[in-house]
Amino acid sequence: FDSVLGESPLPVMLFRLVAVLLAALFRPRLGFLDESAIRLRVWPNDLDANLHMNNSRYLLAMDVGRWELVVRTGFWRELRRRRWFPVVGSATLRFRRSLDPFQRYRLVTRLVAWDEKWCVLEQRFERGGHVHAVGRVKALFRGPQGHVSTAALLAAGLHPRATDIGGNCGRTVRVAVGTGAVTVRVVGGDPVAP
């Protein structure tokens, strides 16, 4: 089922994406290790038969959150110039509390880890000081010549001191994402336990 109302999620999420991205152009710029936070609301077409936010809508909201981070870091210009685009390899969501009709929530997105190929992002759905759901997304970038290495992403402007990142930022750990795990370099604080 698409939703309780039987509507397709595409027009509503497309509207949300455009609204969030236009607003992001006027919000303060972020560094690539900063958290991005957007505020969204659960609308009737986000609901499932149990009258709370449908699990597929969490994934759609996460797409919006990741694009907002790309715009606010300014990296979208480099993606467009080089014809790179992100590809999700896997996503894992853990639900802690439901989001009910018309509730506002905050979606926080941050880069938590990477290796030579994959970037791992954490996305938290928060409301009233509580985490309602935590998602982890493993993604890579592709371009005209195939996969784009993380080193190339960093050198292209994702981080101003790309040469400092290798051994000086975080520690190497295994992070479970989807049905597998990836060995990555953790940055910032530890990822929230799903």
Side-chain angles (χ1 to χ4, degrees):
F1 302 119
D2 283 336
S3 71
V4 170
L5 300 178
E7 296 177 22
S8 169
L10 184 60
V12 174
M13 269 304 165
L14 190 57
F15 172 75
R16 287 182 194 171
L17 176 65
V18 169
V20 166
L21 295 184
L22 286 174
L25 291 171
F26 299 99
R27 293 183 70 195
R29 184 121 182 228
L30 295 175
F32 90 112
L33 295 178
D34 292 336
E35 288 187 342
S36 163
I38 58 175
R39 297 193 185 283
L40 298 169
R41 181 185 297 269
V42 179
W43 292 106
N45 62 331
D46 293 328
L47 305 177
D48 63 14
N50 295 319
L51 298 179
H52 60 232
M53 192 153 114
N54 185 311
N55 56 13
S56 66
R57 296 305 174 100
Y58 285 85
L59 293 169
L60 284 170
M62 289 166 61
D63 282 341
V64 173
R66 288 190 304 277
W67 276 109
E68 201 263 355
L69 180 64
V70 167
V71 170
R72 291 202 47 210
T73 58
F75 198 58
W76 67 276
R77 289 180 184 92
E78 201 62 34
L79 294 179
R80 189 181 67 202
R81 187 175 77 74
R82 295 177 186 251
R83 297 190 339 230
W84 291 347
F85 56 93
V87 177
V88 171
S90 63
T92 301
L93 259 170
R94 298 287 174 116
F95 300 100
R96 295 180 177 176
R97 295 179 159 94
S98 65
L99 287 169
D100 297 323
F102 302 106
Q103 285 186 325
R104 287 187 181 273
Y105 62 92
R106 186 172 175 250
L107 176 59
V108 179
T109 303
R110 69 183 181 125
L111 176 67
V112 292
W114 70 81
D115 67 7
E116 301 79 30
K117 179 178 176 182
W118 299 101
C119 295
V120 178
L121 294 106
E122 174 189 87
Q123 296 186 272
R124 298 185 316 272
F125 293 79
E126 301 175 346
R127 176 175 164 73
H130 298 285
V131 175
H132 286 250
V134 177
R136 287 204 189 122
V137 174
K138 182 176 80 170
L140 57 77
F141 286 82
R142 289 193 48 85
Q145 282 74 44
H147 296 308
V148 178
S149 71
T150 306
L153 291 172
L154 294 170
L158 194 55
H159 191 275
R161 296 181 328 271
T163 57
D164 295 345
I165 294 298
N168 298 331
C169 191
R171 65 190 187 289
T172 302
V173 297
R174 299 244 339 134
V175 176
V177 181
T179 58
V182 61
T183 301
V184 294
R185 184 161 299 283
V186 174
V187 296
D190 286 334
V192 171

